[in-house]
Amino acid sequence: MSTDPNRPLQNQKALVTGGSSGIGEGCAIALGTAGAAVAVNYHSSPGEAERVVAAIRTAGGEAFAIKADVSKEDDVHAMFAETIKRFGTLDILINNAGLQQDAPFHEMTLKQWERVISVNLTGQFLCAREAVREFLRRGLVPEISRAAGKIICMSSVHEVIPWAGHVNYAASKGGIMQLMKSMAQELAPKKIRVNSIAPGAIKTPINRAAWETKEALENLLKLIPDGRIGEPEDIARAAVWLASDQSDYITGATIFVDGGMTLYPGFAASG
Ligand code: BGC
């Protein structure tokens, strides 16, 4: 295990799904800076993924970009095979790829429902399963980490906060909560840790409409007791810590990184 506090993930190998933008980009760069070699997965933006790879290399890290649709089993198999071939093994999975396809409930198409569930929830299942297979194959290597592997699921405050107009997304995140906890319970005896980060409103392309105008941002800030929108780095710092041995006794937990969004801020002034 690493003894350098600035590089807690030294010599570890990581895969970040959806690593070419937003929270995934922030996590990939932070993991690289913390000493991990990083496979940066993307779906449709190779140029963006290469930009993230370049940022990690500039900071002295090792990285490469890899295309896969996480909802497709064959793509996921190929992505893990290539990552393990290049890195030798895998220690950390950041199960991050996700999307929104919003619609009023009565207008939501089956296609919108299925797309969001298959990327956000089935994608996390497929990637976690491949990661666990590699962790079990290789087993514990005490010089590298106290754990045989770490999985961090990117959830959302909407694993607990209902969200009108976004039932597919909220259902996918509620599903991630039980996927993560059930995996954590099953895999703890094998020294595999599984946890979630539940971000609140983080300034990324997925929620541009919620922050790009002054009026939208003012409305959004009413939901955030801390009084600011989050940045990808807020999430990335939690991801590095959850991936490191600093959090070795934590498994099955969801860490809300949300500026207090889950504190029912409406009740501060009424109720
Ligand atoms: C969603 C964002 C939203 C945030 C808070 C996230 O999971 O992807 O669009 O701003 O939750 O509601």
Side-chain angles (χ1 to χ4, degrees):
M1 60 186 271
S2 169
T3 48
D4 180 348
N6 295 320
R7 294 176 71 81
L9 306 180
Q10 188 70 45
N11 296 327
Q12 300 200 40
K13 317 294 179 194
L15 169 62
V16 181
T17 66
S20 59
S21 74
I23 289 173
E25 170 179 358
C27 288
I29 293 172
L31 261 65
T33 309
V38 187
V40 179
N41 159 253
Y42 66 95
H43 176 240
S44 43
S45 319
E48 296 289 282
E50 288 302 342
R51 194 175 43 77
V52 176
V53 166
I56 294 170
R57 289 186 182 149
T58 303
E62 184 186 348
F64 76 98
I66 183 149
K67 181 178 167 69
D69 177 340
V70 295
S71 70
K72 303 257 161 40
E73 192 172 26
D74 290 349
D75 275 28
V76 172
H77 280 155
M79 172 169 71
F80 275 80
E82 176 66 15
T83 301
I84 291 163
K85 193 170 130 207
R86 290 180 75 139
F87 288 164
T89 189
L90 189 76
D91 305 286
I92 300 160
L93 168 65
I94 309 286
N95 230 349
N96 167 76
L99 47 79
Q100 284 181 220
Q101 291 200 353
D102 311 326
F105 182 69
H106 61 287
E107 288 170 10
M108 186 171 284
T109 63
L110 179 59
K111 214 171 149 204
Q112 287 172 320
W113 170 267
E114 284 180 343
R115 181 77 183 133
V116 170
I117 297 293
S118 67
V119 172
N120 295 13
L121 184 56
T122 308
Q124 290 216 10
F125 159 70
L126 289 172
C127 292
R129 191 183 58 176
E130 291 316 300
V132 167
R133 285 175 176 167
E134 173 60 14
F135 299 160
L136 293 175
R137 184 201 64 78
R138 189 208 56 235
L140 196 64
V141 184
E143 308 81 74
I144 298 291
S145 174
R146 289 176 187 267
K150 283 92 44 156
I151 296 176
I152 293 151
C153 300
M154 209 51 73
S155 182
S156 163
V157 289
H158 298 296
E159 75 168 43
V160 293
I161 301 179
W163 205 15
H166 309 74
V167 297
N168 48 1
Y169 184 82
S172 74
K173 297 300 182 176
I176 287 169
M177 178 175 66
Q178 284 296 351
L179 169 68
M180 178 280 286
K181 289 189 184 190
S182 301
M183 283 177 59
Q185 189 191 61
E186 184 168 336
L187 296 165
K190 312 274 187 205
K191 291 280 170 210
I192 295 170
R193 296 196 294 117
V194 191
N195 293 289
S196 286
I197 297 174
I202 308 300
K203 195 174 182 185
T204 71
I206 204 173
N207 59 358
R208 181 176 296 281
W211 51 261
E212 76 178 343
T213 67
K214 193 166 164 278
E215 198 194 346
L217 183 61
E218 270 169 20
N219 277 333
L220 181 65
L221 292 181
K222 288 183 195 143
L223 301 175
I224 310 172
D226 184 76
R228 72 169 173 94
I229 190 167
E231 301 291 339
E233 293 70 25
D234 289 305
I235 305 303
R237 281 190 294 273
V240 168
W241 183 74
L242 271 180
S244 79
D245 282 349
Q246 294 294 318
S247 59
D248 186 52
Y249 203 47
I250 297 181
T251 194
T254 297
I255 299 193
F256 288 85
V257 183
D258 68 351
M261 192 176 239
T262 36
L263 298 175
Y264 298 96
F267 279 78
S270 66

